[in-house]
Amino acid sequence: MESFIIEGGHHLKGTITPQGAKNEALQVICATLLTNEPVRIKNIPDILDVNNLIKLLADTGVKVTRNSRNDYTFQSDELNLDYLDSIEFVKKCSALRGSVLMIGPLLGRFGKATVAKPGGDKIGRRRLDTHFLGFKNLGAHFVKDEERDVFQIKAQQLNGCYMLLDEASVTGTANIVMAAVCAKGTTTIYNAACEPYLQQLCKLLNSMGANITGIGSNLLTIEGVEKLHGAEHTILPDMIEVGSFIGMAAMIGDGIRIKNVSLKNLGIIPDAFRRLGVKIEAEGDDLFIPKQEHYVVDSFIDGTIMTLADAPWPGLTPDLLSVLLVVATQARGTVLIHQKMFESRLFFTDKLIDMGAQIILCDPHRAVVVGHDRNITLRAGRMTSPDIRAGIALLIAAMSANGTSRIANIAQIDRGYEDIEHRLNSLGACIKRVDD
């Protein structure tokens, strides 16, 4: 186990470039299983979750060529199908949530897949019903292996159909799309997720020979094809990392430029920070966040308290609510943070309260933050990262605090942020990685 030691009070200044999008990387890497030809993917983030997925694919027989640190070629022409049903494979899948995205392409190409309960963040229930219902609609059936506590999913022939998803699940939509691209006939998915990650997946699949229309909407139409071929793809900048850097710049920045953010794919994220009073200047495809002595929370037109709530795209991503909550602790004004999707994600606020933040945790989904307006600086503390996004939020809090803080279990942060301490130290932070 490793920890971060953070000396607070150091202001950040300079330019930083976001990594490739983690959530997109997990999807498009799994999509390479759909063809026996090489698929080259650029701007892959060098982070724990993605690296573990790449290792898992290599274990299954995928030929992985590392062209450079963030540039890989994958060729799935000699997969070990027996290994895909082994206890070892199931065990590795259960430790990596991204492995769930292998089910769709394996089912679509080979007609079978083994499903274990995936790991990942401890942020509450993350059900897989949407995935399974979609596969069943396409003609797959499930057999429970009681001895290993896994499901076998099989289908002699997947057949296209109309389906209305019970929720706009990003990974659920991605899995169903990857299963359907080689199904017989036409598949129509209504209430599909339409996040940029999903759009990018569909664009890659089309470049591999799939026939998907409606990209960017919640109504996808997929005309099945016999086989897919190789392609090249470049991953978008990570919108969650961009939002994290905006939060850092607001709280402890002396002027930070975030380069090449793909502004058109950030959606409502910049406006969410602007509602907290954060000044953000768009310059081409860069964002510049100037130093602010104070930032003032907006209120709604009728004068009621500002509420920031997550919602399916193009609404606000739930992955940034932890960062927005921390930024609100030093704003002038009050804001209600409403985390609708995951019932455990706000529990990290106890650590912020220990640091001196004024937060009322109403229930597992709602927290009221009364900003200090920088009149009271957060205190340093000892804490543990419970998940990726809470981890980066606690890191931001620690960098703004008086004194030296320690954050344990930083493997959670490493799962989503590439070389984060080195990149922030280059801006003026003082973060050290130590062995526990």
Side-chain angles (χ1 to χ4, degrees), residues 177-221:
V177 167
M178 288 189 282
V181 287
C182 292
K184 185 177 180 180
T186 302
T187 301
T188 302
I189 307 173
Y190 196 25
N191 196 29
C194 53
E195 273 80 352
Y197 317 130
L198 203 287
Q199 296 176 38
Q200 286 284 98
L201 171 66
C202 291
K203 290 173 183 177
L204 168 61
L205 292 172
N206 278 351
S207 69
M208 293 169 66
N211 185 358
I212 306 171
T213 56
I215 299 172
S217 76
N218 69 346
L219 182 62
L220 294 175
T221 301

Side-chain angles (χ1 to χ4, degrees), residues 350-389:
D350 285 352
K351 307 300 182 186
L352 298 176
I353 294 170
D354 290 343
M355 297 174 76
Q358 292 185 307
I359 302 171
I360 303 168
L361 186 60
C362 308
D363 55 45
H365 293 278
R366 296 175 302 160
V368 175
V369 185
V370 181
H372 287 314
D373 193 22
R374 300 195 193 276
N375 291 321
I376 303 174
T377 304
L378 296 178
R379 299 185 296 270
R382 295 177 66 95
M383 56 204 91
T384 299
S385 173
D387 65 75
I388 301 174
R389 308 311 174 186

Side-chain angles (χ1 to χ4, degrees), residues 88-103:
E88 181 183 353
F89 175 74
V90 169
K91 184 177 179 180
K92 289 182 178 180
C93 287
S94 65
L96 175 65
R97 183 159 188 87
S99 65
V100 73
L101 288 161
M102 297 174 64
I103 303 170

Side-chain angles (χ1 to χ4, degrees), residues 29-342:
I29 289 171
C30 289
T32 66
L33 292 166
L34 282 162
T35 179
N36 61 5
E37 296 185 15
V39 179
R40 184 172 183 175
I41 303 177
K42 301 178 181 179
N43 202 30
I44 292 177
D46 186 5
I47 56 177
L48 195 59
D49 270 12
V50 171
N51 292 338
N52 285 340
L53 180 63
I54 292 173
K55 290 176 185 175
L56 184 60
L57 262 65
D59 289 342
T60 67
V62 177
K63 296 171 184 172
V64 179
T65 304
R66 191 184 193 210
N67 307 309
S68 65
R69 183 180 184 184
N70 306 109
D71 181 347
Y72 287 78
T73 298
F74 304 87
Q75 186 167 7
S76 304
D77 58 341
E78 295 180 347
L79 293 185
N80 184 345
L81 298 182
D82 290 333
Y83 179 76
L84 292 169
D85 191 38
S86 68
I87 295 175
E88 181 183 353
F89 175 74
V90 169
K91 184 177 179 180
K92 289 182 178 180
C93 287
S94 65
L96 175 65
R97 183 159 188 87
S99 65
V100 73
L101 288 161
M102 297 174 64
I103 303 170
L106 290 174
L107 181 63
R109 183 176 169 192
F110 300 106
K112 62 179 181 178
T114 301
V115 183
K117 184 178 179 181
D121 291 322
K122 306 304 181 186
I123 55 176
R125 291 170 295 170
R126 303 176 76 176
R127 64 190 184 90
L128 298 177
D129 298 60
T130 303
H131 306 237
F132 296 159
L133 290 171
F135 298 147
K136 288 182 69 174
N137 286 333
L138 292 172
H141 63 276
F142 296 75
V143 178
K144 179 72 179 291
D145 185 335
E146 299 289 350
E147 183 178 342
R148 293 187 296 166
D149 193 28
V150 298
F151 280 100
Q152 299 280 341
I153 308 178
K154 297 181 180 180
Q156 287 193 347
Q157 172 67 62
L158 295 178
N159 293 292
C161 65
Y162 169 86
M163 65 181 82
L164 173 63
L165 302 189
D166 62 334
E167 65 171 348
S169 164
V170 178
T171 54
T173 303
N175 243 339
I176 296 165
V177 167
M178 288 189 282
V181 287
C182 292
K184 185 177 180 180
T186 302
T187 301
T188 302
I189 307 173
Y190 196 25
N191 196 29
C194 53
E195 273 80 352
Y197 317 130
L198 203 287
Q199 296 176 38
Q200 286 284 98
L201 171 66
C202 291
K203 290 173 183 177
L204 168 61
L205 292 172
N206 278 351
S207 69
M208 293 169 66
N211 185 358
I212 306 171
T213 56
I215 299 172
S217 76
N218 69 346
L219 182 62
L220 294 175
T221 301
I222 304 160
E223 298 287 344
V225 297
E226 287 191 9
K227 63 181 297 186
L228 299 183
H229 52 71
E232 287 194 8
H233 180 78
T234 300
I235 292 172
L236 288 174
D238 195 310
M239 68 169 78
I240 312 304
E241 192 170 71
V242 171
S244 302
F245 293 153
I246 294 172
M248 294 175 192
M251 289 193 74
I252 49 172
D254 278 340
I256 292 180
R257 178 176 297 276
I258 311 172
K259 292 283 292 181
N260 302 324
V261 300
S262 189
L263 187 59
K264 68 179 182 179
N265 288 299
L266 291 182
I268 202 173
I269 289 173
D271 285 338
F273 284 95
R274 290 185 177 111
R275 287 185 168 187
L276 294 180
V278 178
K279 293 179 181 177
I280 303 174
E281 301 169 6
E283 300 176 0
D285 211 26
D286 297 352
L287 293 179
F288 180 73
I289 297 87
K291 179 179 180 179
Q292 287 182 251
E293 295 297 335
H294 302 276
Y295 46 98
V296 182
V297 178
D298 283 345
S299 59
F300 288 116
I301 292 174
D302 62 359
T304 54
I305 185 173
M306 174 57 58
T307 299
L308 294 177
D310 57 341
W313 187 269
L316 180 61
T317 170
D319 284 347
L320 274 177
L321 284 184
S322 300
V323 172
L324 286 160
L325 188 150
V326 169
V327 174
T329 65
Q330 293 301 318
R332 180 187 300 166
T334 302
V335 61
L336 171 64
I337 303 293
H338 191 175
Q339 165 61 267
K340 299 176 182 176
M341 292 182 65
F342 306 113

